[in-house]
Amino acid sequence: MLCYPDRRAALRASAAAVAGALAAACGTTRTTPAAHPGSSPPAAPPAAARPGRAPGRAAAGPRRFPGLPVQIDHGPRDRPAVALTFHGNGDPATARAVLAEAERAGARVTVLAIGTWLDAHPELARRILDGGHELGNHTWHHGDINAMPEAEAYAEITGCAERLKRLTGSIGPWFRHSQGQYAAPLVQRLAQRAGYPHVLSYDVDSLDFTSPGAAAVIRNVIGPVRSGSVVSLHFGYADTVDAMPPLLEELARRKLRAVTTTELLTP
């Protein structure tokens, strides 16, 4: 839920204190991100009996960025912008609250949605796009895709892609693998076969899915973040909602614009 004004002020003060400490330090040390929680995926999703595409503008499709690797974890370091990327899952109310906080600050974000979440809440696809954000693929069930057999992993990618296309007219501009920071070479090849020239990773992990408290989420982001960073965040966690206003304020103080991943990578 959204924090009350006194809580929000405390979080802003915490962010400012962290920023000051980081500025005085010689460097930062990052821990290796933990694996995201998930369940073992069932078979590929059924194609029948799904609602059709919601009215409105179609989502952007995938595009190739010449000169960039198949797996992208950050953008240009000489551009004063960052991409806040959200794993789409969890309570729709927290998703809407995160989007509202981003829009209040003039930020645009990238949402990588889990297919089963879109199936349960198809209206959120239009909410995301109508807010000026971009919507991509985060597999169908969010299982450990790097450990799956080829056919199962491919079904995870294409199942979500088909759902996105039915809802928005496009498979979405980005695919992000599940349960880890980097996709295995096989998963990268399967994503390309499914129509995604790139796999979107990240170089900053908020660790918000561990529910460490809003102050820790802020600290985990503003410590390592720099120009061109791609930040991993999640819908579905109250800490993330509470962290958004002071986090966006600190990015603005550093003159780092929060833009979509496509905007971050477009010259």
Side-chain angles (χ1 to χ4, degrees):
M1 64 175 66
L2 292 177
C3 55
Y4 292 106
D6 56 341
R7 251 185 98 196
R8 185 170 293 174
L11 287 168
R12 288 195 183 100
S14 175
V18 170
L22 288 167
C26 296
T28 57
T29 301
R30 293 184 62 202
T31 56
T32 302
H36 296 182
S39 57
S40 298
R50 294 182 189 150
R53 175 158 59 97
R57 64 183 180 85
R63 59 178 285 192
R64 186 179 302 279
F65 290 87
L68 294 185
V70 172
Q71 187 153 231
I72 296 171
D73 60 6
H74 66 82
R77 296 302 191 187
D78 60 352
R79 192 171 301 158
V82 298
L84 302 182
T85 66
F86 289 85
H87 299 221
N89 198 19
D91 183 356
T94 61
R96 293 189 182 94
V98 167
L99 293 171
E101 292 294 352
E103 290 156 14
R104 191 170 290 118
R108 293 197 286 185
V109 305
T110 299
V111 179
L112 293 314
I114 297 170
T116 53
W117 184 71
L118 285 176
D119 233 19
H121 310 289
E123 73 285 355
L124 287 176
R126 182 53 48 199
R127 169 64 185 90
I128 291 163
L129 294 177
D130 286 350
H133 314 291
E134 59 185 1
L135 177 64
N137 181 335
H138 193 37
T139 77
W140 184 253
H141 292 105
H142 200 257
D144 185 358
I145 195 168
N146 283 342
M148 292 178 188
E150 180 173 342
E152 188 177 355
Y154 189 62
E156 283 289 314
I157 300 170
T158 57
C160 188
E162 289 165 7
R163 191 68 180 99
L164 282 165
K165 190 166 186 179
R166 285 174 178 269
L167 281 172
T168 72
S170 164
I171 66 172
W174 298 103
F175 166 74
R176 173 173 287 167
H177 51 290
S178 49
Q179 299 290 324
Q181 185 172 2
Y182 293 106
L186 173 62
V187 174
Q188 295 180 47
R189 293 194 297 273
L190 295 177
Q192 289 185 302
R193 186 196 304 173
Y196 299 96
H198 302 282
V199 172
L200 181 60
S201 182
Y202 49 88
D203 66 329
V204 176
D205 194 343
S206 70
L207 299 176
D208 57 350
F209 64 93
T210 66
S211 296
V217 173
I218 296 165
R219 184 169 60 249
N220 291 340
V221 174
I222 68 173
V225 77
R226 57 191 178 117
S227 294
S229 283
V230 176
V231 182
S232 172
L233 294 142
H234 294 71
F235 288 160
Y237 296 89
D239 290 348
T240 310
V241 180
D242 290 348
M244 285 293 287
L247 174 58
L248 290 166
E249 286 179 10
E250 176 60 20
L251 291 175
R253 189 189 70 79
R254 297 187 184 195
K255 302 190 186 304
L256 292 173
R257 294 179 299 114
V259 299
T260 66
T261 305
T262 299
E263 290 174 303
L264 180 70
L265 298 175
T266 301

